Amino acid sequence: MLFKTPEFGAARIIVIGDVMLDRYWSGQALRISPEAPVPVVKVKSVEDRIGGAGNVALNIAKLGGKVTLLGVVGDDAESKILRELLEAEGVVCDFVVEPLLRSICKLRVMAQHQQLIRLDFEDTPINFDQDALKTALIRHFPQNDVVVFSDYGKGTLADVSAYIIAARQAGVKVLVDPKGVDYQRYAQADLITPNLAELQAVVGACENDQQLIEKGRQLLALYQIPTLLLTRGEAGMTLIEHDQVHSLPAQAKDVFDVTGAGDTVIAVMALGVSLGMPLVEAMYLANLAGGIVVGKLGTSTVSLQELARAMHGDRDSLYGVVSEVELVKLFARAKAHDEKIIMTNGCFDLLHAGHVAYLEQAKALGDRLCVAVNSDASVKQLKGESRPINGLQERMTVLAALACVDWVVAFTEETPERLYCALLPDVIVKGGDYSPEQVVGGDCVINAGGEVKILQFVDGQSTTAMINKARKME
């Protein structure tokens, strides 16, 4: 279907809907309370995650898209936590703040990775300033291609019909994750993404796929909606249009928690629509992403690296392009098996024979080789406005294809010092005329019992020389 992970950085998306905080109290339940026949949980950790429409926005941001989140919150601690978590991930927050409203918070008490109870703290935002929310939405239309309405039935989208009309007038594509049985509210949307139970609550029970497709098309015709993406759990997904139908089997190997899976699906669909991708291809990616996220505990997201591996049928691979979070676990696992970890870094803009020889020498020093790669912004900062020649994903993909490279990770700073000090490889390798004392992050690694080694580059091999040669041949 697709052979290359899309560059989602060009996507510009608005998410509007019910924003909420998902809070987890986790611990062990080893006895029954003497006060009542309920387990006693000794809480060991408290974790806050972004839920509802915020989780849709977070999924978009995690995959590299530019996203603005609109919603209604209270003037309380929960809304401040939500804003901090979202803005830390690059999500632009434009909230209507109602002082008398309580921000939505879902508290889950977990024991041995099982949910014992959920406690909901919320006020239904009925009397909030709807004009302020609509004004904010319209203000963001010129800078965006797509708007996602994430409806959890909490009241934020009470006037969703007017919002959809405004979006269509502005030429912005409309995607809706619906709630309830009144789909008249979503009339003229471009795409809706109900799950099977939600759809059958509207159109009635369906005895087979043919009946499901027929009733789905009747719904589309009734409300002037071109496309319906039906998520069907273990049966996969079905994309229903007026003149064609496409289905995909489920991709999940193990279903651990379906919380937020619908958020991930519509987030990936929105990214695809924003980039002008055919809907079938966007569904393919959304199906892969949904299969990844249900294998995680609680409200979760999918990284670009996870999606890329899933595209190549290797979702659980311990090799290739990985995120920094994944790399921490991989380092711990490797060290637990007494594997010696070598790490180096660079731009690797145009990979040449000198690079390959250098990396092969580095790998020979240990069991695992991890290559940290400068982001596009940091390459530009180091090399000038004309660089990089190849984008980050292309550079990382080529490096990951080398037999000597185990893991490839990106970093955004000018130097990898923070990354080295956080990961503490056994050996840092640097090429060129350096002394070990000059290598950034070397002091952290040495103090932890590691070492720094300097290797010589192959003479006559450089990216700059390749670029100059190519220019002379033009």
Side-chain angles (χ1 to χ4, degrees):
M1 176 70 71
L2 285 172
F3 299 99
K4 178 183 175 183
T5 311
E7 292 286 350
F8 290 126
R12 300 291 185 273
I13 300 167
I14 304 166
V15 176
I16 179 172
D18 300 304
V19 180
M20 57 193 74
L21 185 67
D22 284 346
R23 179 164 286 162
Y24 294 84
W25 289 358
S26 302
Q28 287 189 314
L30 301 177
R31 63 189 180 94
I32 300 299
S33 171
E35 303 165 359
V38 295
V40 176
V41 179
K42 188 174 183 179
V43 176
K44 294 288 188 181
S45 66
V46 175
E47 182 183 7
D48 288 328
R49 299 188 187 183
I50 301 157
N55 190 42
V56 179
L58 183 62
N59 270 273
I60 292 169
K62 285 286 190 180
L63 289 170
K66 302 297 185 294
V67 58
T68 301
L69 175 63
L70 281 67
V72 182
V73 297
D75 186 9
D76 48 28
E78 286 76 14
S79 71
K80 292 179 176 63
I81 292 170
L82 274 168
R83 185 182 292 274
E84 289 174 1
L85 291 173
L86 286 159
E87 291 182 344
E89 297 293 344
V91 178
V92 177
C93 298
D94 191 356
F95 295 151
V96 173
V97 180
E98 292 287 348
L100 300 180
L101 185 72
R102 181 170 191 168
S103 299
I104 301 170
C105 178
K106 295 181 179 180
L107 170 60
R108 296 171 175 89
V109 180
M110 313 288 293
Q112 285 87 11
H113 301 297
Q114 298 294 322
Q115 184 178 150
L116 298 186
I117 190 171
R118 194 183 91 183
L119 308 173
D120 289 2
F121 304 88
E122 63 182 76
D123 294 330
T124 302
I126 298 175
N127 298 317
F128 70 92
D129 191 342
Q130 293 191 15
D131 288 338
L133 186 62
K134 185 176 181 180
T135 299
L137 178 63
I138 293 173
R139 183 172 65 248
H140 290 290
F141 281 153
Q143 296 81 39
N144 294 275
D145 313 301
V146 174
V147 57
V148 175
F149 294 98
S150 179
D151 195 349
Y152 274 76
K154 304 299 184 182
T156 304
L157 296 178
D159 200 22
V160 66
S161 297
Y163 301 159
I164 291 174
I165 292 171
R168 289 187 63 85
Q169 290 173 344
V172 176
K173 292 288 186 179
V174 175
L175 278 67
V176 179
D177 189 357
K179 194 72 173 180
V181 296
D182 180 15
Y183 277 32
Q184 175 65 48
R185 304 170 63 238
Y186 311 123
Q188 298 185 57
D190 292 285
L191 184 147
I192 55 174
T193 62
N195 61 37
L196 183 59
E198 290 169 337
L199 181 65
Q200 291 191 128
V202 177
V203 303
C206 300
E207 297 179 0
N208 51 52
D209 284 358
Q210 186 58 41
Q211 192 175 82
L212 189 66
I213 292 166
E214 289 176 359
K215 289 189 176 184
R217 282 178 168 161
Q218 290 171 5
L219 184 74
L220 295 179
L222 181 62
Y223 298 124
Q224 302 174 61
I225 301 171
T227 310
L228 185 157
L229 177 63
L230 180 64
T231 55
R232 306 175 63 183
E234 62 185 18
M237 291 183 181
T238 299
L239 188 73
I240 302 174
E241 298 177 283
H242 295 294
D243 57 348
Q244 55 186 334
V245 174
H246 301 277
S247 293
L248 289 172
Q251 291 295 311
K253 293 183 178 179
D254 297 298
V255 177
F256 196 63
D257 193 338
V258 298
T259 305
D263 298 335
T264 300
V265 167
I266 198 167
V268 176
M269 290 300 297
L271 285 163
V273 170
S274 182
L275 296 182
M277 187 182 298
L279 289 178
V280 174
E281 292 185 5
M283 176 181 68
Y284 165 73
L285 293 177
N287 194 40
L288 290 177
I292 295 168
V293 80
V294 297
K296 301 181 180 183
L297 178 64
T299 309
S300 302
T301 60
V302 175
S303 70
L304 195 62
Q305 291 81 13
E306 289 173 319
L307 188 58
R309 289 203 299 275
M311 286 174 62
H312 294 89
D314 200 15
R315 178 162 58 88
D316 297 323
S317 172
L318 300 181
Y319 298 89
V321 179
V322 297
S323 67
E324 186 175 335
V325 173
E326 292 172 316
L327 198 57
V328 171
K329 298 177 183 178
L330 292 170
F331 267 45
R333 186 179 303 175
K335 290 181 178 182
H337 288 86
D338 294 323
E339 293 178 329
K340 190 174 184 180
I341 302 172
I342 315 300
M343 196 164 177
T344 190
N345 68 278
C347 301
F348 299 100
D349 195 2
L350 292 176
L351 198 67
H352 51 69
H355 286 139
V356 176
Y358 166 75
L359 293 172
E360 287 177 340
Q361 290 179 59
K363 177 59 178 285
L365 298 173
D367 302 296
R368 299 277 194 169
L369 175 60
C370 176
V371 182
V373 184
N374 292 75
S375 67
D376 291 345
S378 64
V379 174
K380 193 178 296 294
Q381 185 177 358
L382 291 168
K383 304 290 186 179
E385 288 298 318
S386 63
R387 301 281 294 276
I389 303 298
N390 293 309
L392 176 63
Q393 292 304 316
E394 285 84 355
R395 291 182 282 126
M396 295 175 76
T397 299
V398 172
L399 283 166
L402 296 177
C404 60
V405 175
D406 292 283
W407 305 309
V408 183
V409 65
F411 66 95
T412 57
E413 302 92 342
E414 186 175 349
T415 77
E417 182 174 10
R418 178 197 58 79
L419 192 62
Y420 282 149
C421 292
L423 294 171
L424 297 176
D426 297 296
V427 182
I428 292 178
V429 171
K430 189 68 177 175
D433 297 324
Y434 289 89
S435 66
E437 295 76 21
Q438 294 175 308
V439 176
V440 295
D443 53 345
C444 291
V445 172
I446 291 170
N447 290 337
E451 58 183 326
V452 176
K453 288 187 176 292
I454 307 300
L455 300 179
Q456 294 303 311
F457 287 133
V458 176
D459 290 338
Q461 296 285 339
S462 77
T463 299
T464 302
M466 293 175 69
I467 294 172
N468 291 337
K469 184 177 179 180
R471 284 173 176 165
K472 289 178 182 179
M473 295 175 65
E474 291 179 350

